[in-house]
Amino acid sequence: DAGVTQSPTHLIKTRGQHVTLRCSPISGHKSVSWYQQVLGQGPQFIFQYYEKEERGRGNFPDRFSARQFPNYSSELNVNALLLGDSALYLCASSKGLAGGDEQYFGPGTRLTVT
Amino acid sequence: GESVGLHLPTLSVQEGDNSIINCAYSNSASDYFIWYKQESGKGPQFIIDIRSNMDKRQGQRVTVLLNKTVKHLSLQIAATQPGDSAVYFCAERGYNFNKFYFGSGTKLNVKP
């Protein structure tokens, strides 16, 4: 079975630009979460989506937005990119909203903002 | 907010020895914890989880211990192998069930 997939693998953008990152969860998983991981640190929670609705939001500015599609795939959008947005963006999926469900991560998208 | 921290940023062990990686958490209401392994250039890999109604859980070569009294979590790896070299994170599920909070990680170096 395929795990969580993310695209693209790497991305280079310029300050002020917009970026869209994509994630496909494990088959049968309905919840998708997004995390930002800056080099040398642990992942920081950005969003959680379940059944196409936002169910959780971390401490990130409104430049960050996301959505989930009927097939449970998800997109993370970041507007007006800053140098500090350079990071590994991770997507994680789980079966349900909570209930102790194991959460599995994808390989991430490495975003570099110049 | 929740705070998850690790006692040691780097741990070096000899191949074949047992490894113990520690983690402290601050929110006594947290009810679920996961240990992840992250190799360079890859996403975190699920290792083992534990709920707050347990104090010990065993997997293949790994054991997680939870001490709710002192809000401490540990990961024990038996017979550590070179392939175990990675950064290990503990993650704590927040009180609203929708967020996981990660510590900064412990780098495990396994010497042959």
Side-chain angles (χ1 to χ4, degrees), chain B:
Chain B
E2 285 81 353
S3 172
V4 179
L6 296 169
H7 295 311
L8 296 174
T10 304
L11 177 65
S12 293
V13 299
Q14 204 70 37
E15 181 179 358
D17 288 351
N18 296 333
S19 302
I20 299 177
I21 301 171
N22 296 304
C23 177
Y25 64 95
S26 60
N27 188 352
S28 57
S30 295
D31 70 335
Y32 180 58
F33 305 85
I34 301 177
W35 278 102
Y36 287 95
K37 171 187 179 183
Q38 188 172 29
E39 296 173 287
S40 181
K42 298 183 179 180
Q45 175 189 352
F46 179 97
I47 301 174
I48 192 168
D49 60 352
I50 189 168
R51 300 189 187 203
S52 59
N53 62 353
M54 304 170 69
D55 53 20
K56 180 179 180 179
R57 191 163 189 225
Q58 289 184 294
Q60 188 175 16
R61 280 203 307 120
V62 294
T63 300
V64 54
L65 299 177
L66 175 63
N67 185 331
K68 294 181 288 294
T69 303
V70 295
K71 292 184 286 187
H72 183 268
L73 197 67
S74 68
L75 176 70
Q76 300 178 0
I77 304 174
T80 313
Q81 302 169 0
D84 295 327
S85 294
V87 176
Y88 289 80
F89 295 97
C90 65
E92 164 191 18
R93 186 170 68 184
Y95 61 91
N96 63 358
F97 296 160
N98 292 340
K99 305 179 183 180
F100 278 89
Y101 295 89
F102 284 75
S104 57
T106 292
K107 184 175 182 180
L108 177 64
N109 291 321
V110 181
K111 298 176 286 186

Side-chain angles (χ1 to χ4, degrees), chain A residues 39-57:
Chain A
L39 194 62
Q41 296 183 17
Q44 297 293 312
F45 174 83
I46 308 175
F47 287 111
Q48 185 193 39
Y49 275 77
Y50 176 72
E51 292 284 12
K52 296 171 288 180
E53 291 188 6
E54 181 184 304
R55 298 304 184 105
R57 173 184 282 260

Side-chain angles (χ1 to χ4, degrees), chain A residues 23-25 29-32 51-52 68-74:
Chain A
C23 170
S24 291
H29 284 197
K30 298 182 177 181
S31 176
V32 169
E51 292 284 12
K52 296 171 288 180
Q68 186 177 33
F69 299 98
N71 66 353
Y72 303 110
S73 67
S74 178

Side-chain angles (χ1 to χ4, degrees), chain A residues 3-82:
Chain A
V4 178
T5 59
Q6 294 186 243
S7 63
T9 306
H10 296 88
L11 202 53
I12 299 175
K13 290 285 189 178
T14 304
R15 277 180 299 176
Q17 287 187 315
H18 161 90
V19 68
T20 298
L21 310 180
R22 296 177 175 81
C23 170
S24 291
I26 293 171
S27 178
H29 284 197
K30 298 182 177 181
S31 176
V32 169
S33 296
W34 286 95
Y35 291 81
Q36 180 195 65
Q37 186 177 25
V38 175
L39 194 62
Q41 296 183 17
Q44 297 293 312
F45 174 83
I46 308 175
F47 287 111
Q48 185 193 39
Y49 275 77
Y50 176 72
E51 292 284 12
K52 296 171 288 180
E53 291 188 6
E54 181 184 304
R55 298 304 184 105
R57 173 184 282 260
N59 188 25
F60 280 80
D62 292 342
R63 298 185 296 108
F64 289 77
S65 64
R67 55 179 176 168
Q68 186 177 33
F69 299 98
N71 66 353
Y72 303 110
S73 67
S74 178
E75 285 183 351
L76 175 69
N77 296 284
V78 187
N79 293 323
L81 285 166
L82 303 174

